[in-house]
């Protein structure tokens, strides 16, 4: 990223123009405007200009500087490079995690990559149920990092409990 300064009253972004940069405000305030109306005012530490970069669309709003303004600028090309690299790194991490799962050890790397691509991480606080006996199953879980208890209600018997690490 590099720093840029804008004088009061100038525009950092103009609505409907093509976007090539993402910004993070460092000093000063700015207004977000759409169709000439002010939607809000913000100060330092805010990221903006991400929509046109992420979704390859025209700028959805104008950003007008209220008082002398300093921003950090990131070029679209660098932003996209970072997104691609972090995406690839996440995929590699997921594949190597899946390789450590006994049930999947015989699958090819291609197949593991497809599963890794579809994986979603979910966090569960202590004490909650991940799934309940008798409910419809439409999700396959792989434990990454926790201890859990599996219980089963068997008619006429007490609860069966086992602990998994
Ligand atoms: P982008 O469309 O690239 O350029 C204008 C930016 O203004 C946009 O990305 C968002 O970062 C920001 N923006 C658009 N609409 C709003 C809104 N309603 N509230 C806050 N920020 C917005």
């Amino acid at each position: 990223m590099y720093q840029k300064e804008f004088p009061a009253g100038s525009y950092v972004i103009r609505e409907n123009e093509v976007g090539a940069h993402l910004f993070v405000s460092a000093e000063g305030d700015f207004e977000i405007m759409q169709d000439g109306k002010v939607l809000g005012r913000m100060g330092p530490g805010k990221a903006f200009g991400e929509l046109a970069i992420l979704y390859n669309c025209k700028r959805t709003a104008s950003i007008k500087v209220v008082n002398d303004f300093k921003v950090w600028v990131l070029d679209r090309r660098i932003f996209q490079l970072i997104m691609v690299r972090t995406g690839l790194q996440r995929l590699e991490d997921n594949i190597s995690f899946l390789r450590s799962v006994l049930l999947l050890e015989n699958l090819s790397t291609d197949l593991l990559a497809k599963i890794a691509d579809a994986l979603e991480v979910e966090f569960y606080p202590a004490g909650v149920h991940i799934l309940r006996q008798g409910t419809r199953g439409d999700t396959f879980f792989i434990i990454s990092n926790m201890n859990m208890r599996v219980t089963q209600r068997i008619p006429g018997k007490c609860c069966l409990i086992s602990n998994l690490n």
Side-chain angles (χ1 to χ4, degrees):
M1 295 181 95
Y2 53 94
Q3 263 203 344
K4 216 170 162 181
E5 293 184 18
F6 290 86
S10 64
Y11 284 82
V12 181
I13 288 177
R14 283 187 189 272
E15 194 175 350
N16 292 322
E17 286 188 353
V18 173
H21 306 97
L22 177 127
F23 302 88
V24 179
S25 54
E27 282 173 35
D29 301 311
F30 62 96
E31 287 175 339
I32 303 123
M33 301 178 67
Q34 226 167 30
D35 300 324
K37 288 193 204 93
V38 178
L39 298 182
R41 183 190 273 220
M42 290 187 182
K46 301 286 177 202
F48 58 90
E50 77 291 4
L51 297 180
I53 307 296
L54 281 172
Y55 302 110
N56 214 16
C57 61
K58 298 271 172 70
R59 294 295 195 189
T60 58
S62 294
I63 302 292
K64 189 177 179 187
V65 172
V66 175
N67 37 36
D68 286 354
F69 192 56
K70 253 188 207 165
V71 278
W72 287 97
V73 188
L74 184 66
D75 294 349
R76 167 192 217 122
R77 204 175 42 84
I78 308 288
F79 177 72
Q80 286 172 339
L81 200 70
I82 293 169
M83 294 299 279
V84 168
R85 278 198 194 150
T86 47
L88 282 176
Q89 186 59 53
R90 195 176 313 121
L91 189 69
E92 274 174 28
D93 291 348
N94 282 350
I95 291 174
S96 67
F97 163 63
L98 290 175
R99 269 217 184 88
S100 70
V101 178
L102 211 61
L103 185 71
L104 310 174
E105 67 180 353
N106 292 325
L107 298 186
S108 68
T109 303
D110 269 6
L111 212 49
L112 286 181
K114 284 192 179 121
I115 300 172
D117 205 26
L119 274 191
E120 282 174 32
V121 179
E122 285 192 357
F123 296 89
Y124 295 89
V128 302
H129 288 92
I130 296 172
L131 55 86
R132 288 285 209 171
Q133 180 177 357
T135 57
R136 210 176 103 87
D138 54 10
T139 312
F140 176 73
F141 295 89
I142 304 170
I143 306 165
S144 165
N145 189 0
M146 73 174 161
N147 302 326
M148 64 175 200
R149 175 174 289 175
V150 181
T151 60
Q152 186 180 28
R153 232 178 276 120
I154 303 170
K157 286 192 181 163
C158 177
C159 225
L160 179 72
I161 298 178
S162 59
N163 290 312
L164 293 185
N165 294 316

